[in-house]
Amino acid sequence: MSCKPSAVSCKLYVCICFLTTYSWRLISSKKRVVSGITTSGELHLGNYIGALQQFIALQSEYDGYFFLADLHALATVHDPEKLRKSIRSIANLYLACGLDPEQATFFCQSALPAHAELGWMLNTISTMGELSRMTQYKDKSAGNANDSIQAGLFTYPTLMAADILLYQPKLVPVGDDQKQHIELTRNLAERFNKRFSETFTVPDVLTPKQGARIMGLDDPSKKMSKSASSAANYIALVDSPEAIKKKISKAVTDSGTEIKAGKDRPALTNLLTIFSELEDVSVADLEKRYGGKSYRDFKSDLADVIIATLKPVQKTLEELETDPKYVDDILAKGAEKARPVAAKTLAEAKTAMGLG
Ligand code: AQP
């Protein structure tokens, strides 16, 4: 038998090479997006609508880098068991909600020391003034004496800037509450590029048109939050149908009886926004559908919509929980993919600053 390649196999080989190069170009020519979620508790509908839903919608069109922000969680969680549980639960939830590790790079922030390293370097070009103006810092430290406020809470935005700038993204999809941190990230990137040398891409923020700030069910003047003092503030993605029905039936409403959104109706605006986002129907259509109906009817249907949205997520979650190694392997592969990208930017930033 001849070992010489036939004309057909030569053509096949050329064709495979072409396709591999072409698909690689296609992947590498995709614009990059980067975002993370802090592993400081249970994910809620705000995280889902403001962030996760966007990540999943973007993953096929963009080169997505999505991570578990576990170093950020250390700013508020000092209970190792709680932290481990939250990391595991949020990792599973990313996947259960539809993040595809074949399309996006999915990893744990703490697996890449480059984040903390660049975070420190960016601290050295940030000012106390700009960090103390961050609304999230002001909110979370309100009422506490300086002696008891964690320095990690204060410098959280510079680590967040490092998380982003390491991957040179074009866009950062986040909820409304993180916009100010992205503005700071842009300022730091521009400052660094000007003071040292052109190193970082200055990214743009991407927030959803609607649902960028889902408010607390118990208080529509404050955002829905993982670290809210009462679980009545949020619907966790892992809440049971019974818990969802109970929380929605107890959700604060506005005075009057109309199912209408408006500046003077923050509670109904919030509930209608959640409904609209989950059922993909406009708020105006919902107002028409519920014209003349009671809060009770509306809330009962809203609870059903939330339960129906979360049912498949919770089913996949149950399966993922039985196979932690599967998720660990995905995170390990994601970290290996992210590592050279982060290392390249870090090396450039170090050289620019005079560290090599
Ligand atoms: N209420 C919200 N509405 C819309 N989007 C939201 N996000 C958070 N809350 C809402 C978005 O979810 C992503 C992950 O946020 P995070 O967990 O990193 O931190 P966070 O913004 O501080 O969220 P939480 O739930 O309030 O956490 P804790 O209580 O730990 O601080 C981000 O894109 C965020 O905008």
Side-chain angles (χ1 to χ4, degrees):
M1 201 174 79
S2 163
C3 285
K4 276 191 194 161
S6 68
V8 174
S9 61
C10 270
K11 272 186 196 151
L12 200 67
Y13 175 76
V14 171
C15 189
I16 290 170
C17 284
F18 172 77
L19 283 176
T20 313
T21 316
Y22 179 73
S23 48
W24 168 244
R25 286 229 177 98
L26 212 65
I27 292 167
S28 55
S29 67
K30 282 180 175 176
K31 284 184 192 152
R32 186 166 293 158
V33 297
V34 175
S35 203
I37 297 184
T38 312
T39 56
S40 51
E42 289 180 326
L43 284 197
H44 52 74
L45 273 184
N47 300 130
Y48 179 75
I49 295 170
L52 262 175
Q53 211 175 230
Q54 287 206 88
F55 301 172
I56 285 133
L58 293 168
Q59 65 183 348
S60 59
E61 207 184 316
Y62 288 83
D63 177 22
Y65 279 64
F66 299 113
F67 61 92
L68 297 157
D70 53 351
L71 291 177
H72 282 287
L74 290 178
T76 50
V77 184
H78 286 167
D79 172 343
E81 254 336 286
K82 183 181 169 198
L83 182 59
R84 273 187 211 107
K85 214 172 139 209
S86 174
I87 294 170
R88 171 72 53 197
S89 153
I90 296 182
N92 289 345
L93 274 166
Y94 260 103
L95 298 170
C97 287
L99 191 86
D100 177 0
E102 295 297 321
Q103 300 200 72
T105 306
F106 177 43
F107 59 99
C108 222
Q109 181 191 27
S110 64
L112 286 109
H115 286 246
E117 227 177 312
L118 184 63
W120 169 254
M121 288 153 69
L122 295 177
N123 261 341
T124 68
I125 63 161
S126 312
T127 68
M128 301 277 285
E130 63 193 344
L131 294 181
S132 55
R133 282 192 290 277
M134 294 295 114
T135 315
Q136 199 175 69
Y137 167 72
K138 287 199 270 188
D139 286 349
K140 290 192 172 171
S141 61
N144 294 317
N146 270 354
D147 274 354
S148 65
I149 299 169
Q150 313 286 340
L153 194 62
F154 188 65
T155 56
Y156 178 110
T158 49
L159 179 58
M160 182 165 160
D163 299 334
I164 295 166
L165 298 178
L166 272 178
Y167 300 98
Q168 310 279 16
K170 183 80 198 80
L171 287 177
V172 187
V174 285
D176 206 39
D177 62 316
Q178 293 293 341
K179 260 169 125 174
Q180 196 188 21
H181 290 161
I182 308 303
E183 200 46 53
L184 178 80
T185 301
R186 288 171 53 83
N187 291 342
L188 291 177
E190 278 164 2
R191 190 176 306 159
F192 189 103
N193 289 348
K194 199 164 162 216
R195 191 171 298 174
F196 301 105
S197 62
E198 202 62 37
T199 305
F200 298 120
T201 303
V202 182
D204 289 319
V205 68
L206 181 72
T207 49
K209 283 196 186 78
Q210 181 183 261
R213 188 179 288 253
I214 299 296
M215 310 311 280
L217 300 177
D218 57 346
D219 178 358
S221 70
K222 295 204 175 102
K223 72 164 192 147
M224 191 175 275
S225 177
K226 282 187 229 93
S227 49
S229 54
S230 158
N233 165 275
Y234 58 82
I235 302 279
L237 301 189
V238 295
D239 273 347
S240 66
E242 295 69 38
I244 293 169
K245 280 184 189 156
K246 201 166 160 194
K247 286 183 183 183
I248 293 295
S249 79
K250 288 198 167 159
V252 168
T253 47
D254 305 301
S255 54
T257 53
E258 271 188 306
I259 317 289
K260 262 202 158 317
K263 282 211 169 78
D264 55 338
R265 303 184 61 71
L268 261 294
T269 303
N270 190 41
L271 297 179
L272 281 161
T273 303
I274 295 174
F275 203 138
S276 156
E277 278 297 308
L278 299 185
E279 211 193 64
D280 201 14
V281 55
S282 73
V283 167
D285 283 347
L286 287 171
E287 287 173 337
K288 267 187 227 145
R289 192 193 295 175
Y290 288 96
K293 295 213 171 130
S294 67
Y295 280 168
R296 199 187 152 101
D297 292 335
F298 169 71
K299 281 181 159 185
S300 162
D301 289 356
L302 172 59
D304 287 345
V305 167
I306 298 172
I307 292 166
T309 305
L310 296 183
K311 198 174 167 194
V313 171
Q314 293 180 354
K315 188 169 178 293
T316 312
L317 198 61
E318 262 177 40
E319 288 160 18
L320 289 168
E321 277 163 357
T322 63
D323 195 356
K325 188 174 174 308
Y326 169 75
V327 181
D328 289 345
D329 287 349
I330 288 174
L331 289 170
K333 267 193 205 147
E336 283 325 301
K337 207 171 144 211
R339 203 178 304 281
V341 182
K344 181 171 181 290
T345 310
L346 181 67
E348 285 167 11
K350 278 180 151 178
T351 306
M353 289 184 104
L355 293 171

